[in-house]
Amino acid sequence: MIKKYIFGSPMNTGAAALKLSDETGSLPVFGTDISENKITLTCTLSERDIVYGLGEANRGINKRGWHYEAKNSDDCVHTENKTALYGSHNFVAVSGCEHFGIFIDTPAYIHFDIGYTDPDVMTIDIHSPDAAVYFIAADDISTVVREFRQLIGKSYIPPLWAFGYQQSRWGYKSADEIREVVENHRSSGIPLDAVYMDIDYMDGYRDFTVDSVKFPEFDKFVSEMKENNIHLVPIIDAGVKIDENYDVYREGVENGYFCKRADGSDFVAGVWPGRTHFPDFFMPETRKWFGEKYRRLTELGIDGFWNDMNEPAIFYSEEGLREAMEHVDRLKGENLGIDSYFDLTGTVAGISNNVKDYDRFYHTVDGEKIPHSKLHNLYGMNMTKAAAEAFERFDPCKRMLMLSRSSYIGMHRYSGIWTGDNCSWWSHLLMSIKQMPSLNMCGFLYTGSDVGGFGNDTTPDLLMRWLEFAVFTPLMRNHSAAGTRDQEVYRFRNSAAFANIIRLRYRLIPYLYSEFVKSVLNDDMYFRPLAFDFPDDSIAVGVEDQLMVGNSVMIAPVYEQNARGRIVYLPEEMLRVKYLPDGSYETRVMPKGHSYVSAELDEVVFFIRKGHFIPLADSANSTAELNMKKLTLLGYLDYKANYLMYSDDGESKDYYDQNNYITLTVIKDNRDISVRSSAPDIELAADIK
Ligand code: GLC
């Protein structure tokens, strides 16, 4: 049951895909307090209640005990004290005596106090008189989330190659450097499907340009990479460099496509290229114009992009910089004491991403000028919408890889996200594990974190453990920041062990891809907390560091340095699969309950539910070489089980074609195992306990 309540006159953010009629009564469960510019929703939490949701937020799967903000933020230090990251995913779901969810659909700033001030109270402060609020109630938490997902519409599905291993780095500076990276993967037997091109590929950080000295004959380079089954994925930033000799800048100015100050002049923000203008993506004509620019790269064979700095990140505004400089000038020559010293450092630190800047520029929405501060959380979504609308025009049947850093619910229909600038910290590996199911609840299924960590120097063991988790994340991309230690897996002494883990990813693709697409089409979660599958098991309900992956697998990643295993909770008897460094695996049936499970650094352990099996392919160097028609069925059965495998051309959007579904069957009769497939051309072997 979903009900929609309207407060004031909310704008259509584009988040909801279903049209519901407005309710007239009052919001159930929540107390509502409306003051002139604020709506406050309050509900009490019972002792047992777990609060899920908030997508890309900090802290645990259970959000209780902390506070969070809807305020898309470019913040590269994701420490525990933070309250906002890059996306605003304003959906929370309470599960305990009752099961209900609430989605606050507004671009406004929101403060979610989830038992932070009072452990038994959730208070949602919406800093606007206008919001559409959706209330969902059901008999169980899975249904609450599924109904919410039905409301917001089907999630984005990337091409199959985007399930392969991807290598990124800020930044590869030339075609030759990328060739070398690819060659090193290929010669070390490390599978690879994509290489990301960070800002250095551009000519002076100008969007949609390619530095022709470092990347000569770019079209030929793209084809050369394609022949080697490598997709190049260039970055596109929100800010357009101010440069009279740059056509994108000139066109934007001439046609009034950029965000304006109150006096009508184009707002200037400092980002990577120095002074830039931000396209006003709220205007359909700007989206069309900017979106068409992607064609310059798609015509050269590019079929994937990542949109970045689109919160938008503002290193400085001209106004902010001037004010800060004047302030610093006033302190010149002073004897700085405790207050004035901190005033100075605070002033300089506060130049970047200062919310005061959000009031200095305006968008035009249906002819009306609206300050950015009122629409802030929708900016990145609209940038990505510009790209998605363009791809639809270029070729409505073709899937493109699209990632965005900033997001809002609704964008999950056009794009995936990566979780931004994490650090090479063990705590961030754990954080990434916890973010995945929360993101899935909010529709973001194609997602993953920067494997190995973006900021700071990684260590080979952290990278390896992170990969062991990322084997299961739809986006499996190794990325790191400029100035940090080299992080490509072949850089490390034990590159064969790394290769083996990545080869396992390719073996699992028939399962991972099937579960991913089925989750999208059925409005299910690909990653789930154990509580969703075992709601009556009071221990499972509290587990925060194990996840269900699709219908048949449970993972319990190792996320502590020097650990040689970990305690795992099995909510039922399961088959433990231990994948070994020589590419073989061992299986063992493990009982329900807590067990210590050993997992050496180079071993990957996962669990298959009883009564289930999963299809494994032979490994390959790229998804293009993956043979989905030769499978080993690995599982644990008493008698008989079916698996509905989804397999398509990996490129077109023909998801509903019945031929994409293949039923695989295993029948166990004492020691005899027989296997069959609804598609005649599949070669099957079985490894069934
Ligand atoms: C931002 C992105 C990061 C990228 C960097 C340089 O920090 O989040 O992924 O490498 O910008 O473009």
Side-chain angles (χ1 to χ4, degrees), residues 81-98:
N81 56 321
K82 296 299 165 70
T83 46
L85 295 173
Y86 308 88
S88 290
H89 305 147
N90 307 331
F91 171 67
V92 286
V94 177
S95 177
C97 306
E98 289 174 285

Side-chain angles (χ1 to χ4, degrees), residues 145-202:
V145 174
R146 185 172 304 110
E147 289 197 9
F148 172 61
R149 293 272 306 282
Q150 284 163 354
L151 169 71
I152 60 174
K154 300 273 179 269
S155 303
Y156 158 80
I157 301 180
L160 176 67
W161 61 262
F163 286 79
Y165 180 60
Q166 311 185 36
Q167 179 61 48
S168 186
R169 169 93 199 167
W170 175 21
Y172 297 132
K173 291 205 164 41
S174 65
D176 281 343
E177 202 177 335
I178 292 181
R179 280 191 186 99
E180 198 183 308
V181 169
V182 171
E183 190 35 47
N184 280 323
H185 280 84
R186 293 282 180 251
S187 62
S188 316
I190 304 159
L192 187 68
D193 266 79
V195 177
Y196 282 60
M197 299 170 68
D198 209 320
I199 46 176
D200 305 276
Y201 80 88
M202 297 181 206

Side-chain angles (χ1 to χ4, degrees), residues 74 86 170 198-199 235 237 272 306 308-309 405 418 420-421 450 454 477 479-480:
D74 163 34
Y86 308 88
W170 175 21
D198 209 320
I199 46 176
I235 197 168
D237 281 345
W272 304 125
W306 44 319
D308 192 24
M309 306 300 271
R405 191 172 73 173
W418 82 101
D421 299 347
D450 286 351
F454 174 76
R477 182 183 77 149
H479 181 46
S480 55

Side-chain angles (χ1 to χ4, degrees), residues 618-636:
D618 290 344
S619 197
N621 285 327
S622 66
T623 51
E625 294 154 85
L626 198 65
N627 182 0
M628 299 264 220
K629 295 195 184 283
K630 181 168 178 283
L631 302 170
T632 300
L633 309 181
L634 172 65
Y636 173 35

